[in-house]
Amino acid sequence: MSLAKDTTGCINVSSFDVVIIGGGIVGLASARALILRYPALSIGVLEKEKDLAVHQTGHNSGVIHSGIYYKPESLKAKLCVQGAALIYEYCNQKGIAYKQCGKLIVAVEQEEIPRLKALYERGLQNGVQGLRLIQQEDIKKKEPYCRGLMAIDCPYTGIVDYRQVAVSFAQDFQEAGGSVLTNFEVKDIEMARESPSRSEDGMKYPIVIRNTKGEEVQCQYVVTCAGLYSDRISELSGCNPDPQIVPFRGDYLVLKPEKSYLVKGNIYPVPDSRFPFLGVHFTPRMDGSIWLGPNAVLAFKREGYKPFDFSARDITDIITKSGLIKLVLQNFSYGVSEMYKACFLSATVKHLQKFIPEITVNDIFRGPAGVRAQALDQDGNLIEDFVFDGGVGIIGNRVLHVRNAPSPAATSSLAISRMIADEVQQRFKL
């Protein structure tokens, strides 16, 4: 993948009509959508890491969600249903491997059945394809080792390697003339200072984006898709830092290969509507492995993939700027339960055995982890929907922020990118 750099690492291309900050799947899909719609524009993507799509995109479960979970008429519901169809279509066009292995959402307790039926109705409202409620005997036909009283069969759910998809988006973008600048960690966003030597550029490209090494990029407009840092990038541009991002780490367990026959497709619990997390579930991967999880515990660093990763600044921001304390007080027992499961494998296995009784502690080992960028308001409420906003002032009027785009953002990425292209066209009068 060619980058707009010379061999010394210096950036050759310094001016763009539009800059996208963030080289994850949403940023890359948006860059691709913009350059395909506006081929005459110069468009650049800035990514702080040396590789693309290494954080939320590279650490997620790989599930192509069907759109059943989300509140009807919400952006998440609309964009997930649209996005799943677009991802399947894109993978077919590009020859990217995926498996439409389906999903069962399984009620194992009698009191879960009303919630399951309500979820089924929600899925129908959202226009999810092929949904049906099935009983014990049909559960066994689909998942021979799974026990349950009733389940929703979601045949449209699939799995894919989203990092592969994101890299393909980047290739499309570059082949269409776009530039990807890696190792570019944004430190400042400000208006260009007029001077005789650069007044022409300053007028045409009034925004200056500077990185931690002092390198600069100038542009007319900015779209931020910064994931775990979306609030800080918004603040840098003079826009509202709220909602604040609170990082939640999700640890996965992995089923030993010799036990992978126990799981055919995705098996999910009936979710608790009070939380955005879908609960510990069974997820087949493209490489044939089976992931179990994730849990949901507070991460002490925005990119804290290990339990002891710690950042004083990140923790200070979480405590002082977000509504985390209120969230913890409101959901104390849930938080303690998740921490306990994170520490003791046996606790997680006990939960998994509700679905597949044959699984034992000896059948699993600790696997990878991901960090979810969850937006939280000042009252301790988890922001449920995607958030797209701009700002005020000379910079804010030239910026579109894409915020709170955790799961199902990867599934929805192509649909989100269309919406962002529409929003850019409308806001910036391109």
Side-chain angles (χ1 to χ4, degrees), residues 13 33 37 48 56 59 65 113 146 201 208 214 223 360 370 416:
V13 182
R37 188 177 295 193
K48 73 184 181 73
Q56 288 190 107
H59 287 82
H65 289 285
I113 289 177
C146 179
D201 266 2
V208 176
V223 178
T360 69
I416 290 174

Side-chain angles (χ1 to χ4, degrees), residues 260-333:
S260 60
Y261 67 87
L262 292 172
V263 179
K264 304 291 184 193
N266 294 278
I267 303 172
Y268 278 60
V270 181
D272 187 329
S273 59
R274 293 174 298 166
F275 307 105
F277 314 108
L278 299 179
V280 173
H281 45 266
F282 301 76
T283 304
R285 301 278 294 176
M286 289 302 297
D287 63 5
S289 62
I290 307 291
W291 283 13
L292 315 170
N295 56 9
V297 295
L298 179 68
F300 298 113
K301 184 180 179 182
R302 293 205 180 201
E303 292 161 2
Y305 300 109
K306 297 174 183 174
F308 298 106
D309 286 347
F310 181 84
S311 162
R313 181 189 175 185
D314 290 351
I315 284 298
T316 301
D317 280 357
I318 290 168
I319 293 171
T320 60
K321 294 183 179 180
S322 78
L324 178 73
I325 301 301
K326 292 179 181 177
L327 176 72
V328 169
L329 292 174
Q330 291 162 12
N331 303 284
F332 186 73
S333 61

Side-chain angles (χ1 to χ4, degrees), residues 106-118 149 270-271 354:
V106 183
V108 293
E109 308 288 350
Q110 199 67 40
E111 58 263 29
E112 292 176 330
I113 289 177
R115 285 183 8 230
L116 186 79
K117 289 180 175 177
L149 303 175
V270 181
K354 293 179 181 178

Side-chain angles (χ1 to χ4, degrees), residues 103-145:
K103 169 167 67 179
L104 294 184
I105 303 172
V106 183
V108 293
E109 308 288 350
Q110 199 67 40
E111 58 263 29
E112 292 176 330
I113 289 177
R115 285 183 8 230
L116 186 79
K117 289 180 175 177
L119 186 62
Y120 171 72
E121 293 299 328
R122 172 175 281 196
L124 294 180
Q125 282 182 268
N126 290 344
V128 178
Q129 296 183 29
L131 290 184
R132 62 191 186 114
L133 278 172
I134 61 175
Q135 307 298 325
Q136 284 176 304
E137 57 273 17
D138 287 323
I139 293 173
K140 288 291 183 187
K141 286 177 187 174
K142 286 196 160 282
E143 292 288 350
Y145 297 92

Side-chain angles (χ1 to χ4, degrees), residues 24-30 56-57 60 63-65 70 75-77 79-84 87 162 165-166 169 225 227 372-373 384-388 402-417 420:
I25 195 168
V26 173
L28 294 169
S30 301
Q56 288 190 107
T57 306
N60 67 24
V63 175
I64 302 172
H65 289 285
Y70 316 110
L75 281 174
K76 276 193 177 183
L79 296 176
C80 186
V81 172
Q82 293 171 17
I87 283 286
Y162 278 119
V165 174
F169 290 165
C225 302
R372 175 191 179 102
E384 290 187 18
D385 212 354
F386 296 139
V387 177
F388 304 91
V402 180
R403 317 213 279 178
N404 196 42
S407 179
T411 301
S412 309
S413 54
L414 286 170
I416 290 174
S417 73
I420 288 171

